[in-house]
Amino acid sequence: MKRNFHKLGEKLIEGVITASGLVTSITVLLIVFYLFKEGLGIFSQTPVAEGSLLAVNRQNQVSELSAAQVKDIFDQEITNWQEVGGANAPIKLFEIDDITAYYTEEQLGPDFAFLPQRINEVVAKDPHILAYFPDEYLAHNFPGKRIELANISLGDFLAGRQWYPTIQPAVQLGVLPLILGTLWVSLGAILIALPLGLATAIYLAEIADPKVRNFLKPVIELLAGIPSVVYGFFGLVVIVPLIQDVFGLPVGETALAGSIVLGIMALPTIISVSEDAMRTTPRAMKEASLALGANKWQTIYKVIIPYSVSGISTAAILGIGRAIGETMAVLMVTGNASVIPHTFLEPVRTIPATIAAELGEAPQGGIHYQALFALGCILFLMTLAINLTVDFVSAKKKENR
Amino acid sequence: MAFGTPSPSHKSKKLSQSIAFFVFRLLSFSVVAILLVILGFILVQGISVISWEFLTQMPREGMTEGGILPAIVGTLWLVVGSMLFAFPIGVLSGIYINEYAKDSWLKRFVKLMTNNLAGVPSIVFGLFGMTLFVNQLGFGDSILAGSLTLGLLALPVVIRTTEEALKSIDNSFRVGSLALGATKWQTTSRVVLPMAFPNIITGLILSIGRVSGETAPILFTVAAYFLPKLPNSIFDQVMALPYHLYVISTSGTNIEASRAMAYGTAFVLIVIVLLVNLLANWLRRYYGKKVKMN
Amino acid sequence: MNSVETKDVHLYYGDFHALKGITMAMRKNQVTAFIGPSGCGKSTYLRCFNRMNDLIDGVKIEGDILIDGVDIYKTNIQVDDLRKHVGMVFQKPNPFPKSIFENVAYGLRVNGTKDKQFIEERVERSLQQAALWDEVKDKLKKSAFELSGGQQQRLCIARALAIEPSVLLMDEPASALDPLSTAKIEELIHQLKENYTIVIVTHNMQQAGRVSDHTAFFYLGELVEYAKTKTIFTNPKDQRTQNYITGRFG
């Protein structure tokens, strides 16, 4: 009896332990589920703000417009129907506020009761009109033709060059500038961090004497523990003004500032991973090199570095991963302009910074909200790819030994 | 072949070695210098702000004066909350991977997923925590939601240190215990865990450092821009040190006027990290000696 | 003529007294074997001849070691020049993760040789000396890791020969190999002694008997007995030597 009880206890504990073991896996799966559930939502939405519509006169040949065309029309960069496949005639824009130019307050009636009817008249009268007004003023006998905007496509989303998630009447959700901004800043960071980090790793692993090493190691570990927001703050009060002065820029918040801050933040990862890799070089191999008359430096660059090259690439990839996902520090120092970067001295905006800056203002469930989750998906996939590459590289390394 | 006098090849080898080592030394010391400059700058600028009032009062005048008490208290809540979640689950999970899981696809899958979770950017944790804890489970912006989100973020760290700590325990101890008729759990809890404990606790302390400085995961799950009162329950919002620093240095009502407050907040954050690291190092050394003495 | 000569050599690892006053001389173009139980100091002593012990922290060496008449612990001796003069083959084959060709060329390249043709000729000759040329001449560009253990060890010998040392140190060169590969290495040692002074540490007494002209027996950091190999194995003077040879400890 007592024995059975004992056995039951063991089983119970094993169950609890197994369940805990599965928490991370479940979390990852839930993250994927929620991110994609919200994020994929944008592909079944049209870019027109909910509760509004676009319409033209029934005689107009045009019945479909893209989000980009709508934006250009309302920005007055497209002014003729010909440019969007219609007749050669100037586009007449009509927004709901413009109604007062056509009718007096009396004609609109008490509480705008006649407004739907008046809109009908306006749209029916002008063959070149493009009207944008809320759904609630749509009369059931509307004489115009509704303009349908195509759903947002994956291609538009990924290759679109404009990110204006709240613009009226059609939002622009092109993430190319954000993706490029992220890669740009991360690559800059790795260009700064890799040479410095590798040099430090080599120094610590092979050159420094134990006393110096025992001092430097904890200092570098400490660097890894400092919160990103503190780095961001340091960047903001020191690096940003410095860049502004040195390059004579109107603002110092630039991709370069982001790269420098991220580079510093990636250093500890790069140093410790590549140092560990170099330390695994078998002693026998180092001795063989020295016994052939090579000196220390020749042994380092001819034997140790080639031997630990996979560990060093792991370090570089992990460093990039850390840079791509970093949010706060970048948000604070890059200026966050969603334009495709051309030089390091321009402001850029990264994916994580966009999510952090905009999610608070995006109404839950709306197209902007979903677009930010879609950005989260892209970010997740990028870092997943990086993690899998690292797993693959280190698995391969083990195989080779 | 004589070798009593240095050969010509020796001289050129020696020269390139001297140059290379000089460059490496220079770069390494500049890396350390960068760190010391960052630390020094913030510590020097911040120390003059630190006072009893700064640590124990509410912010005043649009957060340009007064103290940061609510942020300190909030961060404390979040650290405790997240550790209450991450520590037991993380340690059990580490035990699962190293002691219980058979070498199967499930174990590989769990390890892969844990690795991947460690690589997920903190802002994605924020998105996830908001959907699951704040909206789906209806916790709202609260200490509960924020702690769970931070806890998930700390989980891989705790799991990994536990795993490493357990791995370093020689198998003979397990076999010895099992041979005396102890069950698996008795062996794990009475022999293996106590031996691995120092390293596990070090991991826990380091993850406290990590959690107390994270901003992105709490942006949409708990952090408040400004709250004139301290929290009463786990369903309240709180201010937190890292978010407070972000707010007063980028989007406060008067950024220039709150600069001093910002230096002070950064100072407190760095001191926390320093203390955590010192404590971890001290523990490592303390237990290291104890083990040797046995 | 003596190639290696040592006078009253003491070596300490920190507090541990590992070599206790060793004085002996090794003749040119002869094979000298060091035997003795594990931890007797024979490998440590061997590693003094190319100053490999310099790499270990806390090692202190006293006494004189002369190689071809030069005191190698004098301050003006450059250790990399010394190691070019005194080659070494290790216990386990330790080729570099490079091609077969590059493994052999390594020593030449690190010592400043740039002439391509010269390097090619020297690589071929060294591989021939190491009796490996016929087996690898068609795959010089292949990774050294594709060779078998025995081939790898001969590659390491070729690598050591390429820089034309005058002394070749072998630290249990066959202990990780199968009997067939071991036989090949032993045959090789026979051929090599025409041109090189060889000092070999071995665990295997039969091997010492087969390959060496002189044998030195070490015990607890002391040189117990040093004589012609035949004498050591047939008529040892010291009781400890006899015990070891007859397998009473080891």
Side-chain angles (χ1 to χ4, degrees):
Chain A
M1 185 69 203
K2 197 181 165 201
R3 213 189 141 135
N4 277 342
F5 190 71
H6 227 82
K7 248 185 170 165
L8 194 72
E10 277 288 318
K11 278 271 169 241
L12 207 68
I13 288 165
E14 189 169 343
V16 170
I17 289 176
T18 311
S20 305
L22 294 177
V23 168
T24 49
S25 310
I26 294 168
T27 306
V28 173
L29 295 177
L30 279 177
I31 288 178
V32 172
F33 173 73
Y34 281 117
L35 275 187
F36 283 83
K37 183 178 150 225
E38 294 285 351
L40 293 178
I42 62 160
F43 299 117
S44 53
Q45 296 238 31
T46 67
V48 179
E50 216 170 300
S52 299
L53 73 133
L54 283 164
V56 294
N57 187 285
R58 207 171 272 285
Q59 286 158 27
N60 200 323
Q61 300 156 7
V62 176
S63 57
E64 243 184 53
L65 289 171
S66 74
Q69 285 170 331
V70 172
K71 175 175 179 289
D72 286 348
I73 291 171
F74 278 82
D75 285 350
Q76 318 234 313
E77 287 181 14
I78 293 177
T79 53
N80 195 306
W81 282 112
Q82 214 173 9
E83 294 174 64
V84 291
N88 181 11
I91 299 172
K92 173 74 179 158
L93 287 179
F94 172 82
E95 286 178 69
I96 192 67
D97 293 345
D98 299 339
I99 196 77
T100 50
Y102 293 81
Y103 298 99
T104 65
E105 222 166 285
E106 255 165 56
Q107 287 169 309
L108 293 174
D111 291 335
F112 300 100
F114 307 140
L115 186 54
Q117 206 47 48
R118 299 300 178 213
I119 291 175
N120 282 358
E121 290 168 25
V122 171
V123 173
K125 204 159 58 186
D126 189 339
H128 307 308
I129 199 161
L130 176 64
Y132 171 62
F133 57 92
D135 282 342
E136 52 179 310
Y137 300 126
L138 180 69
H140 55 88
N141 59 346
F142 184 62
K145 183 166 65 169
R146 281 184 78 148
I147 289 283
E148 297 302 333
L149 264 69
N151 282 356
I152 294 163
S153 74
L154 185 62
D156 290 345
F157 185 67
L158 290 179
R161 295 167 157 262
Q162 291 186 310
W163 175 262
Y164 296 111
T166 55
I167 197 177
Q168 305 268 354
V171 295
Q172 306 290 310
L173 298 173
V175 296
L176 192 62
L178 310 180
I179 293 178
L180 288 178
T182 307
L183 294 179
W184 197 269
V185 172
S186 306
L187 285 181
I190 215 70
L191 284 181
I192 294 168
L194 199 57
L196 274 177
L198 263 186
T200 310
I202 290 171
Y203 180 74
L204 288 178
E206 298 296 329
I207 305 173
D209 65 62
K211 265 185 209 148
V212 178
R213 193 182 121 84
N214 287 343
F215 167 71
L216 294 187
K217 269 293 263 198
V219 172
I220 287 160
E221 271 169 28
L222 197 61
L223 191 73
I226 294 178
S228 61
V229 65
V230 173
Y231 282 111
F233 177 64
F234 179 80
L236 195 65
V237 294
V238 176
I239 296 173
V240 165
L242 196 70
I243 288 178
Q244 189 175 357
D245 284 351
V246 169
F247 296 98
L249 301 171
V251 287
E253 279 102 345
T254 53
L256 180 63
S259 292
I260 292 175
V261 172
L262 283 184
I264 296 173
M265 294 176 70
L267 274 173
T269 312
I270 292 179
I271 293 173
S272 62
V273 176
S274 47
E275 197 212 337
D276 286 347
M278 286 187 239
R279 287 188 159 266
T280 60
T281 311
R283 208 190 142 82
M285 220 164 270
K286 291 191 227 171
E287 285 188 342
S289 169
L290 293 167
L292 289 167
N295 65 15
K296 233 173 163 180
W297 167 231
Q298 289 173 318
T299 305
I300 290 171
Y301 81 85
K302 284 184 178 253
V303 176
I304 296 174
I305 291 180
Y307 186 85
S308 41
V309 74
S310 69
I312 293 170
S313 23
T314 304
I317 300 168
L318 281 175
I320 294 180
R322 171 122 205 238
I324 285 180
E326 175 50 44
T327 312
M328 300 316 287
V330 186
L331 180 62
M332 292 165 87
V333 301
T334 54
N336 300 315
S338 56
V339 290
I340 291 176
H342 297 286
T343 76
F344 271 103
L345 298 176
E346 283 172 58
V348 291
R349 162 182 277 219
T350 68
I351 293 174
T354 307
I355 300 174
E358 294 178 2
L359 191 62
E361 287 135 33
Q364 198 192 327
I367 189 167
H368 186 192
Y369 182 87
Q370 290 177 333
L372 293 175
F373 272 83
L375 279 182
C377 295
I378 293 176
L379 191 62
F380 180 81
L381 291 178
M382 279 171 146
T383 46
L384 184 72
I386 282 172
N387 285 330
L388 293 179
T389 314
V390 168
D391 284 343
F392 179 74
V393 170
S394 37
K396 195 142 192 202
K397 197 168 86 186
K398 265 184 205 147
E399 224 171 76
N400 280 347
R401 298 232 170 118
Chain B
M1 225 164 85
F3 60 93
T5 49
S7 64
S9 82
H10 168 81
K11 276 179 200 153
S12 71
K13 272 156 70 177
K14 179 112 190 166
L15 182 68
S16 65
Q17 166 158 311
S18 308
I19 294 171
F21 283 15
F22 174 75
V23 171
F24 287 139
R25 192 167 288 127
L26 196 73
L27 291 177
S28 306
F29 281 107
S30 53
V31 165
V32 177
I34 291 169
L35 170 76
L36 294 179
V37 164
I38 295 177
L39 280 182
F41 179 81
I42 285 168
L43 292 179
V44 167
Q45 298 276 347
I47 187 89
S48 56
V49 184
I50 301 296
S51 65
W52 186 241
E53 284 70 40
F54 182 73
L55 297 176
T56 58
Q57 288 191 354
M58 296 285 168
R60 288 193 313 269
E61 312 288 331
M63 298 192 279
T64 58
E65 276 174 45
I68 54 167
L69 179 66
I72 294 177
V73 172
T75 290
L76 212 63
W77 274 91
L78 291 175
V79 165
V80 171
S82 58
M83 284 301 125
L84 282 179
F85 170 73
F87 190 51
I89 293 187
V91 171
L92 287 178
S93 196
I95 292 175
Y96 170 75
I97 293 174
N98 204 61
E99 307 287 326
Y100 277 77
K102 313 217 165 42
D103 208 11
S104 65
W105 65 269
L106 185 64
K107 181 181 173 179
R108 278 198 299 273
F109 180 75
V110 166
K111 285 189 84 163
L112 186 74
M113 284 300 171
T114 308
N115 265 346
N116 281 328
L117 192 64
V120 169
S122 53
I123 187 74
V124 173
F125 277 98
L127 281 178
F128 173 67
M130 183 183 76
T131 6
L132 182 63
F133 301 126
V134 175
N135 298 332
Q136 200 81 27
L137 298 176
F139 298 155
D141 278 356
S142 62
I143 293 176
L144 182 59
S147 298
L148 289 173
T149 310
L150 285 173
L152 286 178
L153 178 124
L155 206 50
V157 185
V158 180
I159 292 176
R160 234 181 248 176
T161 34
T162 306
E163 214 191 312
E164 291 297 318
L166 293 175
K167 222 185 262 172
S168 69
I169 308 288
D170 197 276
N171 214 22
S172 60
F173 293 106
R174 294 183 186 90
V175 178
S177 166
L178 291 172
L180 290 170
T183 62
K184 183 134 197 165
W185 173 244
Q186 286 170 329
T187 304
T188 308
S189 62
R190 295 186 198 179
V191 178
V192 182
L193 269 185
M195 292 179 76
F197 185 71
N199 285 328
I200 295 179
I201 212 79
T202 314
L204 174 75
I205 290 170
L206 288 176
S207 58
I208 287 179
R210 168 106 200 258
V211 161
S212 58
E214 278 292 345
T215 316
I218 58 171
L219 279 177
F220 315 112
T221 54
V222 52
Y225 183 80
F226 174 69
L227 278 178
K229 63 178 184 64
L230 299 179
N232 291 319
S233 79
I234 55 168
F235 293 103
D236 285 348
Q237 272 192 294
V238 284
M239 294 172 73
L241 285 170
Y243 183 59
H244 186 63
L245 174 57
Y246 166 66
V247 163
I248 58 179
S249 59
T250 60
S251 56
T253 44
N254 187 342
I255 293 175
E256 283 312 312
S258 43
R259 203 42 30 121
M261 297 287 106
Y263 280 119
T265 311
F267 181 93
V268 172
L269 273 170
I270 285 198
V271 167
I272 290 177
V273 172
L274 278 174
L275 286 180
V276 159
N277 268 275
L278 282 177
L279 187 60
N281 276 334
W282 179 80
L283 270 179
R284 228 179 265 162
R285 224 166 284 164
Y286 175 76
Y287 281 110
K289 259 188 203 141
K290 246 181 127 176
V291 170
K292 257 185 212 155
M293 263 158 46
N294 290 349
Chain C
M1 201 189 144
N2 292 331
S3 195
V4 183
E5 210 176 333
T6 75
K7 286 174 200 151
D8 197 25
V9 169
H10 292 263
L11 184 142
Y12 305 83
Y13 290 117
D15 297 332
F16 178 63
H17 197 175
L19 294 177
K20 299 169 181 166
I22 299 190
T23 302
M24 69 182 280
M26 284 139 262
R27 298 250 183 89
K28 203 168 172 61
N29 295 354
Q30 300 254 301
V31 179
T32 308
F34 294 175
I35 59 170
S38 304
C40 67
K42 57 192 191 298
S43 280
T44 305
Y45 183 51
L46 184 81
R47 285 167 161 255
C48 289
F49 303 163
N50 64 346
R51 292 182 54 175
M52 225 50 188
N53 290 322
D54 290 15
L55 304 176
I56 300 161
D57 289 330
V59 163
K60 205 175 77 197
I61 298 171
E62 290 166 2
D64 296 331
I65 299 176
L66 284 83
I67 290 189
D68 292 333
V70 181
D71 183 347
I72 62 166
Y73 281 89
K74 262 199 324 224
T75 47
N76 67 341
I77 292 297
Q78 302 306 330
V79 95
D80 45 340
D81 286 338
L82 164 70
R83 289 177 185 155
K84 213 158 60 180
H85 191 80
V86 182
M88 185 162 192
V89 177
F90 296 80
Q91 192 167 355
K92 278 193 193 136
N94 54 355
F96 300 122
K98 297 173 186 286
S99 70
I100 294 170
F101 183 89
E102 281 306 319
N103 261 283
V104 183
Y106 185 88
L108 297 170
R109 292 197 199 279
V110 297
N111 288 302
T113 309
K114 298 230 161 64
D115 185 344
K116 258 186 108 175
Q117 205 191 338
F118 177 82
I119 292 178
E120 277 171 23
E121 284 168 12
R122 187 59 76 75
V123 167
E124 180 176 346
R125 203 185 73 194
S126 309
L127 284 168
Q128 269 164 351
Q129 283 182 318
L132 192 61
W133 175 251
D134 292 334
E135 292 159 63
V136 301
K137 64 183 174 202
D138 299 323
K139 47 179 183 180
L140 292 173
K141 294 272 177 290
K142 290 265 172 66
S143 164
F145 290 140
E146 288 180 17
L147 299 176
S148 72
Q151 287 175 321
Q152 286 188 8
Q153 191 63 305
R154 277 181 282 147
L155 179 69
C156 291
I157 294 174
R159 186 172 70 179
L161 298 179
I163 45 174
E164 300 199 310
S166 89
V167 180
L168 192 58
L169 309 177
M170 296 182 145
D171 190 356
E172 303 193 31
S175 66
L177 303 180
D178 60 274
L180 222 79
S181 308
T182 304
K184 273 194 181 158
I185 302 268
E186 287 177 5
E187 198 187 313
L188 187 57
I189 292 173
H190 259 300
Q191 290 163 12
L192 289 175
K193 78 173 183 183
E194 276 177 39
N195 300 309
Y196 302 92
T197 306
I198 293 175
V199 186
I200 177 171
V201 167
T202 176
H203 235 88
N204 178 330
M205 277 172 294
Q206 285 80 6
Q207 184 171 64
R210 285 193 298 266
V211 300
S212 68
D213 303 301
H214 293 81
T215 297
F217 173 66
F218 289 79
Y219 187 64
L220 297 177
E222 281 177 55
L223 173 62
V224 175
E225 196 168 346
Y226 176 37
K228 280 214 155 92
T229 300
K230 252 189 217 149
T231 320
I232 288 264
F233 280 96
T234 54
N235 189 17
K237 295 209 171 59
D238 196 288
Q239 184 62 39
R240 289 170 294 180
T241 317
Q242 192 171 4
N243 286 348
Y244 183 70
I245 302 242
T246 51
R248 293 220 190 117
F249 54 70

